[in-house]
DNA sequence: GTGCGGACTTAGAACCGGCAAA
DNA sequence: TTTGCCGGTTCTAAGTCCGCAC
């Protein structure tokens, strides 16, 4: 199987985890838990109809919710909560079906706070002069002002879309009395920005107690929205807060980025709840748009958003039984693919040579989806960012380098670049060449006969419910299983976690999960590099002192002293200078801060005391500056002369011990740097959350004796409670 | 078969809070 | 004690896929 080989080569080349040989011991795994035993087939899941677990009256239950969720009932609450959890996975026969629930009660949604007008003195400036805006327009100007220093505000498309909508709102709300606002360039939002920035600062610098109070207040207000009653059981609601108005932040080159996302009114909301459930009261003076009782869906409320015309839903939270059930089904479906994958691979391999163009395209696309984990790639509208997946790949997205190298270069979901130079199957290469043949030109579809529905129909021939995305789940979890199999069970817990993360990283790379390199990354790397450089400087200095004390040492241990010649006078001076500047800066900063602090205290102390303290601070600062300068002077002179001060307490042993300590620190810092660089552009979370069967993680934790808390955060532990309780150390994907 | 809307999963960015280093 | 960083959480955009109407 050439492609499997290819795949293996691909992953081997990036894999740095220790390996051991291992036979496939699938049959050996114990099947303790019921899910495992039954292996919940999808058909079975679909056919079954939910059975009501408890029939408790709403009133009683409601009181229970209130009691349980008071924030100060601590431990007790958790225990109670534990008992109350609906363990759906213990009865997998009862899952899903067309009808999703029998009764559903909830409190509706929370609306964002009303707009708070700017103070009279904070204004938009137009053509250099302050102008008055109707409140509606002022709000929109404020949206832009608040983001003034972000990247969005520099994007011309963002500016254009914002300004168009701003002008419309301005017109509809009566216009600006002083002047016509018709040029974005003449608008100056800086005063508005400063106002919001100051507010942000104020909020941040509030005393901890005050912050806590505000938080508690908010929690109290939101309490009842957080939970709902689903078939009499308490379940958590996810996004019960309605999205606040603002400017649409589309990803990549989105044609509508910056457009005004208008305020959602109760009249825009459709609620979904049980027929007999009390209807939550809408905000004063308002009505709900619609109230529905549709028990075939899993949402509590929805509204239509005005930018793209998409529907937004209020749903159950990630740890709800709904999400758990669909996660389990998703991974079971991916595991089912295991049984069919050989047949599918054989089929598309043979169809790569088909005489029918459509079959060749299907086969080639399937190959790409299977081997390179591409997404299906549905068609997109003109008013969306131009991103592609497999079926929507165009002429310009692949470059062919004979004999069989393909360079993929395109923007995928979220405008994340997919760039890979890979060796592909010889026949697949030939096919892609044919698909690009004249008269095809840039802008034309590579797979002109395909769309995801055609491809998915082909997949269903092999397995019901098989679609393109299942391949991603399957290959991701399969990769993780293989990676875990190759990890040797030894070392500290931390080392095992590092090995697990390395495996996780392989999956993230397969799925092309990236993140933009954090703004501070480059600076951070430089800082660490400088730190390492300075530690080496310290170390060499110590070694040179050792030699100053006893020249003969060099002969005794050449290797140890070898690096003493690595540091040139120029380099050392450079390091000393950098160090000096930083030290002086630090001292100065401290001084500024002390002064600032004293200014604050001024009101509460006498003038005399204030004077005294000022003097003290000045004195202290001067002392520090003098001391630092003296050190700088010494270091510089040492560097120039390449001769270092020997202290009376020095002994060869003590110096050697210091060198060892530095070596250890350098090693640790270098490791930290490597990790930082390797992870700077890869995001591990998405694959852990969506692609890696959580039972693999649980298996790893149990088999390698790593606490699950080291691998799953609290939210993930809640989301994957079903996996934590059902997989053991022998579990296999 | 095609186009479209609805319902769901998947995704990175933004935000927040706690903790280690200075 | 403060600050800056990092991991975790929240937010909401952007995909996939299905089913229905024509």
């Amino acid at each position: 199987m050439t492609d499997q080989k290819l795949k293996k080569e691909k992953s081997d080349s990036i894999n740095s985890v220790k390996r051991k040989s291992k036979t496939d011991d699938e049959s050996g795994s114990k099947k303790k838990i019921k899910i495992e035993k039954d292996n919940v087939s999808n058909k079975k899941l679909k056919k079954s109809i939910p059975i009501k677990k408890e029939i408790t009256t709403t009133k009683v239950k409601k009181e229970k919710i209130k009691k349980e969720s008071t924030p100060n009932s601590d431990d007790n609450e958790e225990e109670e909560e534990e008992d109350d959890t609906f363990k759906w996975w213990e009865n997998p026969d009862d899952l899903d079906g067309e009808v999703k629930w029998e009764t559903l009660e909830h409190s509706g949604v929370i609306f964002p706070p009303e707009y708070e007008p700017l103070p009279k003195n904070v204004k938009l400036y137009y053509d250099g002069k302050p102008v008055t805006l109707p409140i509606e327009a002022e709000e929109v100007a404020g949206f832009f002002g608040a983001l003034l220093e972000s990247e969005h505000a520099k994007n011309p498309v963002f500016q254009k879309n914002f300004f168009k909508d701003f002008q419309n709102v301005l017109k509809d709300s009566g216009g600006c009395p002083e002047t016509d606002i018709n040029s974005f360039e003449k608008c100056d939002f800086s005063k508005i920005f400063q106002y919001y920035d100051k507010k942000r600062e104020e909020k941040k610098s509030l005393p901890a107690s005050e912050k806590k109070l505000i938080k508690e207040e908010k929690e109290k207000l939101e309490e009842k929205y957080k939970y709902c009653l689903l078939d009499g059981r308490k379940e958590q609601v996810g996004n019960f807060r309605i999205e606040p108005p603002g400017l649409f932040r589309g990803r990549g080159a989105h044609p509508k980025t910056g457009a005004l996302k208008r305020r959602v009114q109760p009249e825009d909301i459709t609620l979904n709840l049980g027929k007999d459930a009390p209807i939550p009261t809408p905000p004063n003076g308002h009505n709900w748009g619609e109230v529905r009782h549709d028990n075939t869906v899993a949402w509590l409320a929805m509204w239509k958003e005005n930018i793209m015309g998409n529907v937004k839903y209020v749903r159950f939270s990630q740890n709800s039984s709904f999400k758990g059930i669909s996660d389990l089904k998703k991974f079971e479906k991916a595991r089912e693919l295991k049984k069919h994958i050989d047949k599918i691979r054989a089929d598309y391999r043979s169809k790569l040579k088909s005489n029918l163009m459509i079959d060749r395209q299907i086969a080639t696309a399937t190959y790409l989806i299977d081997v390179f984990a591409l997404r299906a790639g549905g068609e997109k509208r003109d008013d969306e960012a131009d991103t592609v997946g497999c079926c929507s790949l165009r002429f310009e997205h692949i470059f062919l380098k004979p004999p069989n190298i393909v360079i993929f270069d395109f923007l995928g979901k979220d405008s994340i670049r997919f760039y890979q130079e890979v060796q592909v199957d010889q026949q697949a290469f030939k096919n892609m060449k044919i698909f690009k043949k004249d008269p095809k030109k840039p802008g034309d579809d590579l797979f002109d006969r395909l769309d995801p529905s055609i491809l998915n129909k082909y997949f269903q021939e092999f397995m019901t419910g098989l679609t393109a995305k299942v391949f991603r789940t399957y290959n991701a979890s399969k990769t993780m299983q293989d990676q875990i199999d190759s990890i040797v069970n030894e070392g500290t817990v931390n080392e095992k976690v590092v090995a697990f993360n390395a495996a996780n990283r392989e999956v993230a790379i397969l799925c092309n999960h990236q993140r933009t390199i954090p703004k501070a990354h480059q600076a951070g790397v430089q800082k660490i590099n400088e730190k390492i450089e300075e530690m080496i400087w310290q170390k060499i200095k110590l070694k040179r002192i050792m030699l100053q004390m006893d020249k003969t040492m060099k002969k005794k241990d050449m290797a140890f002293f070898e690096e003493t010649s690595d540091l040139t006078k120029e380099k050392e001076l450079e390091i000393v200078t950098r160090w000096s500047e930083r030290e002086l800066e630090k001292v100065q900063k401290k001084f500024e801060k002390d002064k600032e602090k004293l200014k604050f205290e001024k009101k509460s102390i006498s003038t005399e005391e204030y004077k005294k303290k000022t003097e003290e601070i000045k004195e202290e600062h001067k002392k520090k500056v003098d001391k630092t300068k003296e050190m700088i002077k010494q270091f510089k002179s040492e560097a120039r002369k390449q001769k270092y001060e020997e202290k009376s307490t020095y002994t060869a042993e003590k110096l050697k011990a210091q060198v060892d300590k530095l070596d250890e620190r350098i090693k640790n810092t270098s490791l930290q740097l490597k990790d930082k660089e390797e992870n700077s552009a890869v995001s591990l979370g998405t694959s852990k959350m969506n692609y890696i069967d959580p039972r693999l993680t649980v298996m790893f934790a149990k088999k390698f004796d790593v606490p699950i808390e080291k691998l799953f955060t609290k939210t993930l532990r809640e989301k994957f409670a079903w996996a934590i309780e059902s997989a053991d150390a022998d579990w296999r994907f």
Side-chain angles (χ1 to χ4, degrees):
Chain A
M1 282 244 160
T2 330
D3 45 359
Q4 268 174 322
K5 225 198 235 158
L6 261 174
K7 231 173 164 175
K8 198 167 172 312
E9 273 163 24
K10 215 177 112 198
S11 74
D12 279 356
S13 66
I14 25 181
N15 180 24
S16 56
V17 186
K18 278 196 258 174
R19 286 162 185 284
K20 66 168 179 187
S21 64
K22 191 165 191 272
T23 49
D24 197 358
D25 62 348
E26 196 136 359
S27 53
S29 55
K30 275 182 233 158
K31 290 173 181 172
K32 268 202 296 206
I33 306 293
K34 202 167 173 216
I35 311 173
E36 270 314 283
K37 243 185 238 164
D38 295 355
N39 207 355
V40 207
S41 82
N42 276 304
K43 256 186 218 157
K44 204 168 172 188
L45 288 172
K46 269 205 176 130
K47 271 186 196 158
S48 56
I49 288 183
I51 295 166
K52 265 210 238 171
K53 289 276 142 201
E54 305 166 59
I55 304 160
T56 330
T57 65
T58 314
K59 257 186 196 164
V60 174
K61 267 288 176 184
K62 255 192 178 162
E63 270 164 28
K64 209 173 166 199
I65 292 183
K66 262 193 181 160
K67 207 178 125 203
E68 272 176 16
S69 37
T70 358
N72 46 13
S73 52
D74 281 30
D75 298 353
N76 240 348
E77 180 205 359
E78 237 172 64
E79 241 168 65
E80 223 175 295
E81 198 101 33
E82 188 83 26
D83 289 339
D84 204 37
T85 316
F86 169 43
K87 300 194 176 177
W88 53 266
W89 56 93
E90 288 177 351
N91 284 297
D93 289 349
D94 310 340
L95 312 177
D96 202 48
E98 170 74 352
V99 172
K100 304 212 167 169
W101 45 265
E102 294 296 324
T103 65
L104 173 61
E105 275 185 40
H106 61 83
S107 308
V109 294
I110 294 189
F111 290 91
E114 285 300 309
Y115 174 62
E116 252 180 66
L118 294 170
K120 287 275 168 281
N121 58 335
V122 179
K123 293 197 173 225
L124 170 74
Y125 279 62
Y126 189 75
D127 213 4
K129 293 184 200 85
V131 291
T132 315
L133 296 174
I135 186 163
E136 295 88 344
E138 182 191 280
E139 183 180 18
V140 181
F143 293 152
F144 193 87
L147 306 163
L148 197 60
E149 302 221 326
S150 77
E151 283 307 302
H152 291 294
K154 294 177 193 120
N155 174 356
V157 180
F158 193 93
Q159 294 173 353
K160 193 190 107 229
N161 285 327
F162 151 72
F163 194 64
K164 192 174 135 229
D165 286 352
F166 171 61
Q167 280 187 301
N168 282 338
V169 172
L170 188 57
K171 202 176 83 197
D172 293 346
S173 55
C176 170
E178 290 96 349
T179 173
D180 278 348
I181 294 182
N182 42 35
S183 156
F184 173 78
E185 279 66 35
K186 289 184 184 166
C187 293
D188 174 4
F189 297 90
S190 58
K191 291 282 183 295
I192 301 179
F193 171 78
Q194 283 156 18
Y195 171 73
Y196 283 122
D197 199 43
K198 201 176 134 221
K199 268 191 112 174
R200 263 194 296 260
E201 283 302 317
E202 277 170 12
K203 209 176 139 195
K204 224 167 66 184
S205 60
L206 237 43
S209 57
E210 194 117 346
K211 275 187 195 163
K212 205 177 147 202
L213 216 72
I214 293 171
K215 207 180 156 195
E216 272 167 17
E217 197 81 359
K218 193 182 168 207
E219 245 154 47
K220 217 167 111 193
L221 195 87
E222 296 187 340
E223 187 57 43
K224 65 172 185 169
Y225 299 94
K226 269 189 186 153
Y227 301 94
C228 65
L229 280 175
L230 173 73
D231 290 342
R233 293 179 323 260
K234 183 179 152 190
E235 290 262 8
Q236 230 172 299
V237 182
N239 54 329
F240 52 83
R241 292 181 203 97
I242 294 297
E243 292 174 19
L247 301 180
F248 175 68
R249 286 136 112 131
R251 311 247 169 95
H254 199 297
K256 291 201 173 176
T257 192
L260 175 65
K261 203 168 102 166
R262 56 158 245 274
R263 187 174 286 272
V264 177
Q265 301 294 345
E267 284 72 13
D268 301 320
I269 304 273
T270 299
L271 291 182
N272 191 35
L273 28 69
K275 273 200 182 74
D276 301 324
I279 295 166
T281 346
N284 263 345
H286 287 280
N287 291 304
W288 299 117
E290 190 189 333
V291 176
R292 247 187 242 180
H293 313 287
D294 183 353
N295 66 357
T296 67
V297 294
W299 51 264
L300 315 181
M302 61 151 257
W303 76 94
K304 200 162 192 171
E305 147 276 329
N306 69 300
I307 308 265
M308 305 301 296
N310 291 328
V311 179
K312 301 258 185 167
Y313 298 94
V314 173
R315 301 171 174 283
F316 295 92
S317 80
Q318 286 294 332
N319 59 22
S320 66
S321 52
F322 272 133
K323 300 280 185 194
I325 291 166
S326 52
D327 267 356
L328 171 62
K329 280 165 60 192
K330 175 181 77 183
F331 289 113
E332 285 307 310
K333 197 191 271 178
R335 289 176 89 202
E336 208 195 328
L337 178 52
K338 267 197 315 190
K339 297 184 211 144
H340 306 280
I341 193 74
D342 287 341
K343 202 172 157 210
I344 295 171
R345 284 179 178 156
D347 191 75
Y348 74 66
R349 173 153 301 284
S350 77
K351 287 210 170 90
L352 282 174
K353 290 177 224 142
S354 169
N355 291 329
L356 283 173
M357 187 55 142
I358 175 86
D359 281 355
R360 273 204 198 204
Q361 294 206 351
I362 287 175
T364 312
T366 307
Y367 170 81
L368 297 184
I369 285 172
D370 185 26
V371 178
F372 302 106
L374 298 195
R375 295 188 183 82
E379 195 153 330
K380 297 195 71 187
R381 304 187 321 212
D382 291 344
D383 62 355
E384 296 176 283
D386 177 20
T387 63
V388 298
C390 185
C391 293
S392 48
L393 280 172
R394 295 196 301 266
F395 183 93
E396 64 271 30
H397 295 135
I398 63 167
F399 303 88
L400 303 173
K401 243 193 335 197
N404 66 339
I405 290 174
V406 178
I407 302 169
F408 293 96
D409 192 355
F410 59 87
L411 296 183
K413 182 176 178 181
D414 291 311
S415 295
I416 295 295
R417 188 179 181 198
F418 186 101
Y419 181 90
Q420 273 185 34
E421 184 168 343
V422 288
Q423 284 198 10
V424 301
D425 171 89
Q426 200 57 251
Q427 188 59 42
F429 185 85
K430 263 189 208 165
N431 290 351
M432 286 187 252
K433 210 168 147 190
I434 295 168
F435 305 154
K436 282 193 81 172
K437 216 169 74 185
D438 206 45
K440 284 259 188 94
K441 54 180 192 313
D444 292 343
D445 281 340
L446 185 69
F447 298 111
D448 47 14
R449 314 270 169 104
L450 284 191
D451 64 47
S453 81
I454 293 172
L455 215 47
N456 287 337
K457 253 179 219 142
Y458 167 67
F459 296 147
Q460 324 254 328
E461 287 173 22
F462 299 94
M463 181 186 131
T464 40
L466 183 60
T467 61
K469 79 196 265 287
V470 181
F471 282 84
R472 264 169 85 82
T473 315
Y474 164 75
N475 277 313
S477 285
K478 173 76 167 56
T479 302
M480 193 64 183
Q481 173 80 64
D482 294 347
Q483 289 284 323
I484 292 177
D485 285 347
S486 69
I487 297 173
V488 180
N489 195 350
E490 61 182 31
T492 64
V493 166
N494 272 349
E495 280 165 348
K496 289 175 188 175
V497 172
V498 168
F500 179 87
N501 287 341
N504 191 163
R505 181 155 53 228
E506 294 306 314
V507 180
I509 290 168
L510 173 75
C511 296
N512 200 39
H513 290 145
Q514 301 186 27
R515 56 183 188 140
T516 48
I517 296 177
K519 258 190 197 152
H521 175 74
Q522 213 37 51
V525 166
Q526 197 189 335
K527 220 169 145 186
I528 297 177
N529 269 324
E530 287 177 1
K531 214 162 99 187
I532 293 174
E533 214 175 64
E534 280 158 35
M535 285 190 281
I536 294 174
W537 166 54
Q538 297 286 346
K539 192 170 66 151
I540 291 179
K541 260 171 52 168
L542 290 168
K543 289 188 178 182
R544 284 179 179 173
I545 294 172
M546 286 168 88
L547 289 180
Q548 272 171 213
M549 288 161 64
D550 179 2
K551 268 189 195 143
T552 63
M553 284 178 102
K554 196 166 187 175
K555 276 198 186 133
K556 285 182 210 149
D557 193 348
M558 294 289 263
F560 181 80
F561 291 103
E562 206 190 330
E563 65 176 337
T564 49
S565 52
D566 287 354
L567 185 68
T568 64
K569 192 199 269 187
E570 289 70 33
K571 185 75 202 173
E572 186 173 358
L573 276 168
E574 185 194 313
I575 295 173
V576 172
T577 308
R578 191 175 68 214
W579 178 86
S580 320
E581 278 163 10
R582 213 178 46 222
E583 285 304 303
L584 285 172
E585 215 171 279
K586 255 194 245 168
V587 172
Q588 189 62 31
K589 230 176 173 176
K590 168 97 172 65
F591 181 50
E592 301 293 337
K593 226 173 61 195
D594 285 346
K595 277 199 290 190
E596 194 66 25
K597 222 162 106 190
L598 190 61
K599 230 196 220 163
F600 211 73
E601 278 174 38
K602 195 176 176 181
K603 290 167 226 150
S604 52
I605 56 175
S606 66
T607 335
E608 208 141 293
E609 209 168 337
Y610 176 71
K611 259 188 189 164
K612 199 178 134 208
K613 282 202 169 173
T614 313
E615 280 313 306
E616 272 173 22
I617 289 174
K618 274 188 187 161
E619 186 67 19
E620 193 191 342
H621 174 66
K622 194 174 171 296
K623 261 189 207 163
K624 271 192 186 156
V625 170
D626 289 347
K627 201 177 153 202
T628 311
K629 280 188 175 162
E630 209 166 296
M631 271 173 95
I632 295 169
K633 207 172 138 195
Q634 183 200 329
F635 288 164
K636 281 199 173 160
S637 121
E638 284 179 341
R640 263 184 233 111
K641 293 182 195 149
Q642 295 284 284
K643 189 160 175 12
Y644 305 88
E645 190 192 345
E646 294 168 35
K647 286 190 187 142
S648 57
T649 52
Y650 285 166
T651 65
E653 287 73 37
K654 275 189 187 164
L655 291 173
K656 173 81 174 33
Q658 280 193 51
V659 168
D660 287 347
K661 228 184 227 169
L662 276 169
D663 265 330
E664 188 64 29
R665 276 178 61 199
I666 290 167
K667 201 180 121 198
N668 283 339
T669 314
S670 304
L671 213 74
Q672 191 193 332
L673 180 68
K674 189 173 160 247
D675 217 48
K676 195 184 172 89
E677 300 224 281
E678 276 177 359
N679 278 334
S680 65
V682 185
S683 127
L684 304 187
T686 307
S687 49
K688 197 186 263 190
M689 170 115 157
N690 300 300
Y691 288 102
I692 296 168
D693 191 314
R695 289 167 295 186
L696 279 169
T697 308
V698 174
M699 172 271 277
F700 178 87
K702 293 187 176 163
K703 189 169 168 186
F704 288 74
D705 235 350
V706 173
I708 193 71
E709 290 76 14
K710 295 258 176 193
L711 307 174
F712 280 153
T713 63
K714 184 170 156 276
T715 14
L716 281 187
R717 287 198 299 279
E718 282 170 8
K719 175 179 162 77
F720 294 138
W722 60 272
I724 293 175
E725 290 202 23
S726 58
D728 58 28
D730 302 319
W731 193 87
R732 294 190 68 77
F733 174 71

